[in-house]
């Protein structure tokens, strides 16, 4: 331990492991420590015994559920958008060689009490029962405009500067109805609320294009992919990458205490009487509670079932978004389902999650609209966790703290945080300019 490092990373959550890998590849000397004896931190995957111990206080789950080791239950369930930033990071770092993915079967949206497949292009818009005949035609024209839009081709802009025109103005040009705007904004562009409507339209259009391109990439029923054996595989894969490039790992290190000099700058980390010196500390909020602020709370239900979610075409894996307006809420609700098909449960079993940003102190009542869509449930666990954001100035204290995971069931917000942190730590932008089409085969999606 008594060495000097460029960076000490505390916590083996996904964000910290990605950063550890990227910084090691850059040639920095990295020490990575965790108070736990397992990888993943808040984003770990638990077997059945661990799940029971955490939520029921005993490690004796019913035998009818199958062997404990056959389960890998994500504590922060998220799918990976196939053309998104996380896939670019996976390919950029060649971490794909440690992982195998399956395409996710379906992407759905809740509208007026029913479940519908999310239409992602002009052809699907015309087929979708979500819209009436005239609205289908309007939506089709809008989808064609989005599909044809290219930054460097003024002809595709139809005279609109998307850096100046708002999303609301673009949508009104095509005369789309409120329910259509609802599913496009939340289930397709994956915005967290409606504030995007009054912001420049470029980000909104690019998000729609990303969804459509991701859908086409692996020819699945959704734009998402998911790793076999659960998301706990991701932190471990990036940890391996860091180790290959000289990163040092220490698990089960109790009471990792960040040490500061007289000017308040982090200079090292002490554990078990030994201090490792460093220039910078990277960590999750739990390691520096005095330097973060609480910004919200995630409510989540974890359900073990013996069937797929009804009305989702018997999908083994599915995302279903319930937009806020459909429920009279401030925040969207997310349903996520995976199954034995992904080696995360025993034969015939499905793991479903319902999650949202908590608006009350009663998750059982608050999550009910999503839980009611699941059908019969074998076992259900409720979890709430506070969300934190850094409240410090990294330039002043050399501490780079990640934000807590949100309620979304996709990784875009997670990777945005990682890329921003990387730039603050290194003073440079992360170059992800790789040829995705050439590299896509290496991602191993089936």
């Amino acid at each position: 331990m008594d060495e000097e490092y460029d960076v000490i990373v505390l916590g083996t959550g996904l964000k910290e492991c990605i950063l550890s890998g990227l910084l090691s590849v850059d040639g920095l000397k990295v020490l990575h420590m965790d108070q736990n004896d397992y990888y993943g931190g808040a984003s770990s995957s638990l077997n059945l015994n661990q799940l029971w111990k955490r939520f029921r206080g005993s490690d004796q789950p019913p035998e009818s559920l199958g062997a404990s080791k056959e389960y890998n239950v994500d504590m922060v369930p998220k799918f990976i958008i196939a053309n998104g930033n996380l896939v670019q990071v996976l390919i950029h770092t060649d971490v794909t060689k440690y992982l195998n993915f399956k395409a996710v079967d379906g992407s759905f949206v809740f509208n007026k009490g029913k479940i519908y497949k999310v239409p992602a292009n002009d052809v699907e818009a015309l087929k979708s029962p979500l819209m009436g005949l005239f609205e289908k035609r309007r939506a089709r024209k809008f989808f064609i405009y989005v599909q044809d839009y290219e930054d460097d081709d003024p002809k595709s802009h139809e005279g609109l500067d998307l850096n100046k025109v708002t999303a609301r103005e673009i949508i009104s040009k095509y005369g789309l109805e409120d329910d259509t705007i609802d599913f496009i904004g939340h289930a397709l562009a994956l915005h967290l609320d409606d504030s995007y409507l009054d912001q420049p339209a470029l980000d909104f259009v690019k998000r729609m294009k990303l969804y459509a391109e991701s859908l086409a990439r692996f020819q699945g029923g959704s734009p998402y992919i998911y790793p076999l054996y659960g998301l706990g595989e991701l932190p471990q894969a990036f940890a391996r990458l860091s180790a290959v490039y000289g990163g040092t790992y220490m698990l089960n290190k109790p009471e990792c205490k960040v040490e500061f000099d007289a000017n308040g700058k982090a200079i090292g980390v002490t554990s078990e009487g030994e201090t490792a010196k460093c220039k910078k500390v990277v960590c999750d909020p739990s390691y520096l509670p005095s330097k973060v602020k609480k910004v919200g709370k995630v409510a989540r239900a974890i359900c073990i079932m013996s069937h797929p979610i009804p009305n989702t075409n018997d999908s083994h894996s599915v995302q279903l978004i319930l937009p806020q307006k459909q429920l009279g809420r401030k925040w969207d609700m997310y349903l996520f389902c995976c199954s034995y098909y992904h080696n995360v449960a025993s034969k015939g079993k499905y793991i479903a999650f319902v999650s949202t940003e908590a608006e009350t102190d009663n998750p059982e009542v608050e999550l009910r609209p999503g839980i009611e869509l699941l059908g019969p449930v074998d076992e259900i666990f409720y979890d709430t966790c506070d969300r934190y954001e850094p409240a410090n100035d990294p330039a002043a204290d050399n501490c780079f703290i990640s934000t807590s995971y949100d309620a979304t069931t996709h990784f875009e917000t997670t990777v945005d945080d990682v890329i921003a942190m990387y730039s603050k730590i290194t003073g440079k932008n992360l170059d992800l300019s790789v040829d995705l089409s050439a590299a896509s085969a290496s991602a191993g999606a089936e």
Side-chain angles (χ1 to χ4, degrees), residues 9 59 123 143 267 285 290 317 349 368 371 431:
V9 180
D59 57 0
V123 176
F143 277 121
I267 54 169
S290 65
S317 51
K349 296 297 180 184
R368 193 175 291 154
I371 292 167
D431 181 13

Side-chain angles (χ1 to χ4, degrees), residues 187-209:
L188 213 145
L190 302 177
H191 283 290
L192 304 186
D193 56 38
D194 283 345
S195 61
Y196 76 93
L197 287 167
D198 298 307
Q199 293 167 358
L202 186 61
D203 179 55
F204 169 59
V205 168
K206 286 194 167 175
R207 282 166 172 256
M208 287 186 66
K209 286 180 74 71

Side-chain angles (χ1 to χ4, degrees), residues 111-112 130 135 176-184 326:
N111 187 276
K112 292 180 178 170
L130 255 173
E135 182 69 356
L176 299 178
E177 295 170 358
D178 284 350
D179 278 342
T180 306
I181 298 166
D182 216 22
F183 84 73
I184 288 176
Q326 300 293 325

Side-chain angles (χ1 to χ4, degrees), residues 14-127:
L14 179 62
K15 293 182 184 185
E16 290 70 38
C17 286
I18 294 176
L19 285 164
S20 175
L22 291 171
L23 296 171
S24 298
V25 170
D26 277 356
L28 298 181
K29 189 176 181 183
V30 176
L31 171 62
H32 201 148
M33 303 164 70
D34 197 323
Q35 296 165 346
N36 298 312
D37 59 359
Y38 56 85
Y39 286 97
S43 57
S44 59
S45 300
L46 306 184
N47 64 33
L48 213 51
N49 289 347
Q50 291 167 329
L51 189 70
W52 245 254
K53 196 155 196 175
R54 175 163 173 173
F55 292 103
R56 301 268 168 91
S58 93
D59 57 0
Q60 294 297 316
E63 290 183 9
S64 60
L65 294 178
S68 170
K69 66 182 181 182
E70 293 182 326
Y71 285 80
N72 294 290
V73 182
D74 301 327
M75 291 297 96
V76 182
K78 292 183 186 286
F79 289 130
I80 302 165
I81 199 156
N83 244 23
N85 283 331
L86 182 52
V87 168
Q88 292 192 43
V89 170
L90 287 165
I91 291 170
H92 173 77
T93 54
D94 202 24
V95 166
T96 48
K97 66 188 175 192
Y98 303 126
L99 299 159
N100 282 297
F101 297 92
K102 281 191 184 290
V104 172
D105 294 338
S107 177
F108 294 83
V109 64
F110 182 78
N111 187 276
K112 292 180 178 170
K114 291 186 176 180
I115 295 172
Y116 298 91
K117 184 179 188 301
V118 178
N121 55 40
D122 58 313
V123 176
E124 291 189 348
L126 279 180
K127 293 178 184 173

Side-chain angles (χ1 to χ4, degrees), residues 258-306:
V258 181
E259 304 289 351
F260 296 90
D261 66 12
N263 298 317
K265 287 187 178 289
I267 54 169
V269 174
T270 298
S271 176
E272 298 179 302
E274 294 182 297
T275 301
K277 294 187 170 63
C278 65
K279 302 183 182 80
K280 295 174 181 175
V281 168
V282 175
C283 65
D284 70 45
S286 69
Y287 285 85
L288 286 170
S290 65
K291 290 182 179 285
V292 297
K293 60 183 178 185
K294 183 181 169 183
V295 292
K297 180 189 281 188
V298 175
R300 187 174 284 119
I302 304 163
C303 306
I304 301 175
M305 314 193 302
S306 301

Side-chain angles (χ1 to χ4, degrees), residues 349-419:
K349 296 297 180 184
Y350 294 72
I351 312 289
F353 302 82
V354 183
S355 53
T356 190
E357 182 72 17
E359 295 174 18
T360 71
D361 291 326
N362 192 336
E364 296 187 26
V365 172
E366 198 165 349
L367 295 168
R368 193 175 291 154
I371 292 167
E372 285 175 347
L373 298 175
L374 298 178
V377 170
D378 299 342
E379 298 284 349
I380 187 164
F381 307 87
Y382 290 96
D383 193 19
T384 56
C385 42
D386 293 332
R387 281 198 311 113
Y388 296 94
E389 286 181 358
N392 66 318
D393 176 8
D397 60 15
N398 290 342
C399 296
F400 300 84
I401 307 169
S402 62
T403 59
S404 304
Y405 298 95
D406 61 23
T408 61
T409 44
H410 53 79
F411 268 114
E412 291 309 280
T413 52
T414 301
V415 186
D416 288 346
D417 186 31
V418 167
I419 290 170

